[in-house]
Amino acid sequence: MRADLDRILVSAREIATRVAELGRQISADYAGSRQLLAVGILKGSTIFMADLVRAISIPVSFDFMAVASYGQSSSSSGVVRILKDLEQNIEGRDVLLIEDIVDTGLTLNYLLETLRTRNPASLRVCVLLDKPERRKVAVPIAYVGFKIPDEFVVGYGLDYAERYRNLPDVWVLNPEAYQNNSEVKIQSTSGKDHGYDH
Ligand code: 5GP
């Protein structure tokens, strides 16, 4: 298993420090809000969300969505299918979307457009990892854990073919792990093809 892993990009210790900072910042920004709803995008955001909500000192409730993109093309189409929708009505709520990583931005862009039509009081995004080099559409991101280079990463909730989510650190996947494996393409938490050409 470790042969597939190249090196640690963000350590568990760095993540813990940054998550505590984000929690403090979010608690201050939403002070007075009794309506804060953290929405995790399954499955990649679960570990980040579990840590982040415990670093938030104001009342917060949770909900989850699961998404997949349409089609099998090697580049993400930007049209996202909702596999699991929210259970709660977000009208009048302060919604904080929690994502593991933003890459092209297409998934988040679609989610923001969809959720905006449901009239939340506010809608912001918090991502653990941001890969700005691969952005195709500008998405407003209020809170970013770490900006990272264009490398495929796993761990702390992020997977490669459903593996490695339980690693405490964020690792760069060894490109040979997927170049030599034509059976398993780089896919998202939800089975989405991300068009990695590495
Ligand atoms: P976007 O629509 O921004 O291109 O896609 C975002 C999604 O792509 C993330 O939620 C994640 O599922 C997946 N993704 C993008 N980059 C990586 C990566 O480096 N590692 C993993 N495991 N997933 C990634």
Side-chain angles (χ1 to χ4, degrees):
M1 153 161 165
R2 297 287 153 147
D4 287 351
L5 303 174
D6 184 17
R7 65 187 191 282
I8 291 179
L9 190 64
V10 192
S11 71
R13 186 187 287 258
E14 291 171 297
I15 293 170
T17 303
R18 187 71 187 118
V19 166
E21 285 170 4
L22 288 171
R24 277 195 295 274
Q25 198 185 337
I26 290 166
S27 305
D29 291 354
Y30 288 90
S33 168
R34 296 233 153 260
Q35 298 288 330
L36 180 58
L37 177 68
V39 170
I41 310 305
L42 296 171
K43 304 173 201 165
S45 71
T46 51
I47 310 243
F48 176 42
M49 178 154 162
D51 284 342
L52 183 67
V53 292
R54 285 178 291 174
I56 293 176
S57 56
I58 59 167
V60 55
S61 45
F62 326 150
D63 209 337
F64 296 94
M65 291 181 85
V67 296
S69 71
Y70 278 109
Q72 295 297 313
S73 79
S74 66
S75 57
S76 184
S77 62
V79 181
V80 173
R81 186 161 47 107
I82 295 176
L83 300 178
K84 185 214 170 295
D85 206 337
L86 296 174
E87 288 172 9
Q88 299 180 48
N89 180 356
I90 60 167
E91 189 166 350
R93 306 289 303 268
D94 290 314
V95 175
L96 183 61
L97 264 189
I98 300 182
E99 237 314 21
D100 50 359
I101 186 164
V102 57
D103 186 26
T104 63
L106 292 168
T107 307
L108 268 180
N109 188 52
Y110 179 87
L111 282 171
L112 288 172
E113 280 179 4
T114 303
L115 295 182
R116 250 180 231 125
T117 65
R118 303 182 189 180
N119 300 319
S122 67
L123 180 58
R124 288 188 190 160
V125 175
C126 177
V127 295
L128 177 70
L129 304 170
D130 180 8
K131 277 193 213 175
E133 283 170 48
R134 284 179 37 101
R135 197 75 89 254
K136 287 187 182 158
V137 53
V139 276
I141 303 175
Y143 307 99
V144 176
F146 302 90
K147 280 197 170 35
I148 63 166
D150 177 18
E151 295 190 273
F152 195 84
V153 292
V154 295
Y156 198 70
L158 291 122
D159 76 313
Y160 168 59
E162 291 301 328
R163 288 156 70 198
Y164 306 122
R165 290 193 200 277
N166 59 321
L167 295 174
D169 310 281
V170 171
W171 289 74
V172 174
L173 192 70
N174 188 340
E176 287 170 16
Y178 46 92
Q179 275 161 3
N180 296 338
N181 188 350
S182 54
E183 301 282 304
V184 184
K185 285 172 150 187
I186 295 286
Q187 293 192 327
S188 78
T189 52
S190 48
K192 186 170 48 176
D193 184 336
H194 290 284
Y196 270 84
D197 301 315
H198 307 230

